[in-house]
Structures are given as structure tokens and as C-alpha cells.
Amino acid sequence: MPDDSTAPKRILSGAQPTGQLHLGNYLGAVRNWVSEQRQYDSYFCVVDLHALTVPQEAAELRAATRRTAALYLACGIDPERSTVFVQSHVPAHTELTWLFNCLTPINWLERMIQFKEKAIKLGEEVGIGLFDYPVLQAADILLYEPHLVPVGEDQRQHLELTRDIARRFNDRYGESLRVPEVLIRKEGARVMSLQDGNSKMSKSDPSDLSRLNLLDAPDKLRDKIKRAKSDAVMGLQFDPARPECTNLLTIYQLLSGESPEAVEARFADAGFGRFKPILADLVIEYLRPIRERYDAIAGESGYLEGILREGALRASKVAGLTLERIRARMGLLPPF
Ligand code: AMP
Ligand code: TRP
């Protein structure tokens, strides 16, 4: 393991290009990537191969991959500081997945909650890729030997599996892969659906009313917040017994930057009729510059392509070196 203690620590993370990024992705993940890129050597990928684990329409997947990368930039990922790339542009990810497949017990994957949930939804359509999803994720991560992986709460189990695969590799082939730490910032780690305060905001929820997409037009954002599930209790509080109320207040708190106490004090006597339009204004104004930057990036021909080309080159160099070491440890004959 390259251990240069003077080099900046490294982070890596990614999001799937399905649909578009929503406020849960932003508050749970991307917002933290933006703030952390200043102190870490950062890698952010768009995991298009993970998206393929459920049925996708080809043209839509291509469009969503560009959209997701452009949104990373629009949210403030700085390509001068961070390496932004598309997972499938770096073939080392799939090659390492095979090598790790040969190391990973089936019953480790059978325990994955996200697999079980998705498999139930898909019924007969469950492919091997969906089952193998966490091994590909381990490959994404371990290729770059990050110290930290910043994600939302729903990824904790996948990150544990990545750590287990790294340890197993090290046990079997001699210490050589860094075992990364998971970085979950408590605030925003689990933003809930607007329609059900007990399930997370998700790109795959059939109801678009359940999420605030980063690129939704202001009218749409306002309408979704207006129609968000609420309760009839006067006075708003962070209260586990009131999941919808807690979720909307949390969104308000994170976007306004006020303390939870200040937010509760402000809305102690308010009902949702007063609170929702205030929240809508805040969300709309917060997302406005992201939308504007997104439009500028999408409108500048060749800009995104250049960043992704450069990103894939940089990522391939790092990933290639790790893969070479792993291949050698596992006994594959180097090419002549
Ligand atoms: P995904 O959309 O599943 O590719 O997730 C990309 C990132 O966003 C991961 O780090 C997730 O943990 C995070 N994330 C997804 N949904 C939420 C949510 N509702 N609340 C907080 N973080 C989330
Ligand atoms: N499985 C992650 C999610 O759904 C996405 C992901 C794929 C990822 N590879 C990764 C996240 C590597 C962090 C690091 O959110």
C-alpha cells in the first residue's frame, strides 16, 4: 500500500445515473463532497454500470449519465480539484469485480438489504448484476485506495461489505489493500419521501411527488411541497413521532443553515399552511444557482466531454496501478 503520510488523504464516492439527483442525494452526499474536496484528493464517479443492474432504456441512460456528471459540477464539484469520471470509462472496475467475485462468499451478498428490497420490487426480473452490485461497488472503491468514502446512511451496509472484501483479500494474499472508513455526516444522511416520512426519498419511487429533484422548475417544487404529507398538529417540532414534520423541518434547517433550536423556535406556533410556502421559497432560492450553472454547463458544447475525458485518464492511471498489484498478488501471469 503506498503510504506517503505527507500526501493528502483521498476520498471517493459516486451516484447512479437513474432519473436525476434529488435533494436527498444532495443533502446526504453531494453537498459533503463539495465541502470535502478542499481537503482531500477527491474522486467522484457516475456509476452507470450500477444503473444497468435494473432495466434501463439506452438513450435515457446515456442522457442521465451526462446529466448526473453535469449536476456534480453545477453543485460545486470543482474539476480542477476533483477527478470526475464515468465508471464504465475505466474498465478496471469491471475487471476487478471479476477478481473480487472469486473471493466473495455468496452468503455475504444474500444478506444485503438493498438487494432484498429491490429483488422483491422486480419479481422475476432479478439479474446476476443486481446480486453482484455490492462487489462492483467494492471494486469502485478499493481501486482508488481512499481513506474515506462519504455517503448517505443507506450505503452503510455496502461499505461494510467493501471493508470485508478488502480484509479478506489482505488475509489471503498478504496485506496490500487499504480498508477505507465510511464517512456519514449525521445531518441529511437520510432525507425522507415527501409522501411518507418513514421511507427514504428515492429516485426509484414511482411517485415523482415524493422527491424534490435538483432540476425541478420552481413551480413544480412549490407544488410538491404544498402537497407534501403533513399532520394536523399546530406548532412544528423535530419529533420522531411526527416523521413528516421532522423531515420538512430538517430540510429547512439544512438549507437555511440555522440551528435546530432556532428553527423550532421560529415555527413553534406555526402550522403547515404558513410553513410550507416559506420552505418552498427557501428551496427554490437555494436550488436556483444550481439550475443556472447546470444550464450553462449543458449549453457549452464540449465542456462536459473534456472534463470527463480528463477525469477518465486520471482515474485510469490510479486504478490501473492498483489493479496491476492485485492481479500479481492473485497469481495472474502478466501480459508479455
Ligand atoms: P444513489 O442515488 O442511490 O446513487 O445515491 C447516491 C448518494 O446519495 C449515496 O451516497 C446515497 O447514500 C445518498 N442518498 C440517496 N438517497 C438519499 C436520501 N434519501 N437521503 C440521504 N442520502 C441519500
Ligand atoms: N451504491 C451507491 C448508491 O446507490 C452508489 C455507488 C456505487 C457508490 N459505487 C460507489 C458510492 C462507490 C460510494 C462509493 O448510492
Side-chain angles (χ1 to χ4, degrees), residues 36-290:
E36 273 134 24
Q37 67 181 339
R38 254 171 270 137
Q39 32 168 339
Y40 296 108
D41 177 24
S42 308
Y43 290 76
F44 301 116
C45 58
V46 179
V47 294
D48 54 346
L49 297 169
H50 276 108
L52 280 181
T53 59
V54 296
Q56 299 289 338
E57 211 263 299
E60 169 51 24
L61 177 58
R62 263 190 298 274
T65 301
R66 300 173 75 99
R67 195 159 63 225
T68 305
L71 262 173
Y72 285 3
L73 304 176
C75 287
I77 299 293
D78 175 359
E80 302 279 320
R81 285 180 189 275
S82 300
T83 300
V84 177
F85 66 103
V86 175
Q87 181 190 37
S88 69
H89 294 176
V90 183
H93 292 236
T94 37
E95 183 171 345
L96 184 57
T97 301
W98 177 257
L99 302 181
F100 282 168
N101 277 341
C102 298
L103 196 75
T104 309
I106 288 180
N107 69 359
W108 287 8
L109 296 179
E110 282 168 346
R111 289 201 286 265
M112 294 294 113
I113 295 163
Q114 209 165 78
F115 169 72
K116 289 194 245 182
E117 286 173 355
K118 287 190 186 176
I120 289 169
K121 275 194 205 140
L122 284 170
E124 307 245 309
E125 282 275 332
V126 182
I128 292 173
L130 189 68
F131 188 61
D132 206 25
Y133 178 116
V135 179
L136 175 60
Q137 183 163 350
D140 295 341
I141 295 170
L142 298 178
L143 276 173
Y144 298 88
E145 302 199 86
H147 298 75
L148 295 167
V149 183
V151 287
E153 180 62 42
D154 61 345
Q155 293 304 307
R156 193 182 284 283
Q157 196 187 30
H158 287 159
L159 266 293
E160 262 323 308
L161 186 95
T162 294
R163 288 162 53 83
D164 287 342
I165 291 177
R167 289 196 201 97
R168 195 173 171 92
F169 182 90
N170 291 343
D171 284 349
R172 195 166 286 187
Y173 297 106
E175 184 81 19
S176 66
L177 288 178
R178 173 174 286 127
V179 182
E181 301 294 327
V182 48
L183 177 64
I184 298 177
R185 297 240 181 263
K186 203 169 135 276
E187 312 79 28
R190 197 166 163 81
V191 177
M192 308 312 278
S193 156
L194 296 187
Q195 294 295 320
D196 173 4
N198 292 310
S199 59
K200 69 168 183 177
M201 186 176 285
S202 158
K203 293 180 200 142
S204 60
D205 192 312
S207 167
D208 191 52
L209 282 178
S210 69
R211 59 190 160 254
L212 299 168
N213 298 309
L214 300 186
L215 295 177
D216 278 346
D219 285 352
K220 197 164 203 181
L221 294 168
R222 193 176 296 286
D223 182 53
K224 286 177 174 177
I225 291 172
K226 191 169 162 200
R227 292 162 70 175
K229 188 170 170 200
S230 55
D231 57 41
V233 184
M234 279 306 280
L236 307 185
Q237 291 161 313
F238 294 96
D239 176 355
R242 298 173 68 191
E244 285 82 17
C245 178
T246 300
N247 190 42
L248 294 179
L249 275 188
T250 301
I251 293 173
Y252 180 92
Q253 189 240 315
L254 291 172
L255 296 186
S256 68
E258 292 173 25
S259 70
E261 297 74 27
V263 173
E264 271 191 338
R266 182 190 300 268
F267 298 110
D269 302 318
F272 286 96
R274 182 151 79 79
F275 172 66
K276 281 180 167 181
I278 298 174
L279 177 65
D281 286 340
L282 178 66
V283 170
I284 289 166
E285 287 317 308
Y286 193 95
L287 295 183
R288 188 184 302 283
I290 294 179

